Amino acid sequence: MNHHGGATVYRKLLTLDMCGICLVNTLGALPIIYCTLLCYPATRSLALLVYSALSSYVIFCAVSAHSNISRFCSFTWQAAFRFYFFYLRWAGLGSGHPSSLRCYLLMDGLALLGGIINISRLPERLRPGKFDYWCNSHQIMHVLVVISILYLHWGVTSDLTWISSHSCPLE
């Protein structure tokens, strides 16, 4: 991050950045979990509670991490939890709009790519000094994350439209 405030400002900006990433991860997954378990209200409530608790732990780990790699790995549990629900949809055990799973997979793929580019410090590691202000890994990561949020939006919009016309089977 380009600033002249020193280590204290850098740590505060990094903490704010990590909180934003965790907030998007947490709030973005809630409608995915809700729609996937739409017809199982008790399981849905428990899954939402567990994911919220897990997200609290993840933000603690991300903010207190001592390296980029451990900070990146902090989000692994959230991703694994989301991928479990993606699997439920893919296997036909969960519900949701058929096209939304593709959006969610692209969302996580782009976010993962952004995270990998950020921790690998590409392209500035290859040409030191050339990418200090424009097109550095942090900026590339943020562009990919914004695009991934668009895919999240499109997936959630499809799911919410689907909910309005879906009814769960009677037991």
Side-chain angles (χ1 to χ4, degrees), residues 12 27 34-35 40 47 56 58 68 94-95 98 105 116 120-121 130 132 134 147 149 154 156-157 165 167 170:
K12 287 181 183 177
L27 296 179
Y34 185 91
C35 291
Y40 308 99
S56 298
V58 166
N68 287 338
S95 55
L105 290 171
I116 290 170
S120 66
R121 298 288 182 234
K130 297 289 183 187
D132 288 346
W134 297 103
I147 295 169
I149 292 171
W154 293 327
V156 169
T157 301
S165 63
S167 59
L170 299 173

Side-chain angles (χ1 to χ4, degrees), residues 132-164:
D132 288 346
Y133 295 104
W134 297 103
C135 299
N136 60 50
S137 59
H138 195 86
Q139 291 170 342
I140 293 169
M141 180 267 304
H142 276 289
V143 168
L144 289 171
V145 166
V146 167
I147 295 169
S148 78
I149 292 171
L150 284 172
Y151 278 101
L152 170 66
H153 169 74
W154 293 327
V156 169
T157 301
S158 296
D159 273 345
L160 293 177
T161 303
W162 173 85
I163 283 177
S164 66

Side-chain angles (χ1 to χ4, degrees), residues 49-167:
L49 182 65
V50 168
Y51 190 75
S52 298
L54 175 67
S55 295
S56 298
Y57 176 71
V58 166
I59 195 165
F60 169 76
C61 291
V63 170
S64 62
H66 295 292
S67 72
N68 287 338
I69 294 172
S70 60
R71 195 171 295 117
F72 178 72
C73 290
S74 299
F75 296 99
T76 303
W77 290 109
Q78 278 184 316
F81 203 89
R82 283 192 311 275
F83 273 95
Y84 174 71
F85 289 94
F86 297 163
Y87 170 75
L88 290 177
R89 284 186 178 208
W90 177 78
L93 301 171
S95 55
H97 191 275
S99 71
S100 62
L101 180 58
R102 181 181 151 286
C103 290
Y104 298 144
L105 290 171
L106 285 168
M107 168 201 69
D108 270 345
L110 287 168
L112 176 65
L113 178 62
I116 290 170
I117 288 171
N118 190 41
I119 64 171
S120 66
R121 298 288 182 234
L122 290 173
E124 62 268 17
R125 188 167 46 128
L126 302 175
R127 306 257 339 246
K130 297 289 183 187
F131 299 99
D132 288 346
Y133 295 104
W134 297 103
C135 299
N136 60 50
S137 59
H138 195 86
Q139 291 170 342
I140 293 169
M141 180 267 304
H142 276 289
V143 168
L144 289 171
V145 166
V146 167
I147 295 169
S148 78
I149 292 171
L150 284 172
Y151 278 101
L152 170 66
H153 169 74
W154 293 327
V156 169
T157 301
S158 296
D159 273 345
L160 293 177
T161 303
W162 173 85
I163 283 177
S164 66
S165 63
H166 179 76
S167 59

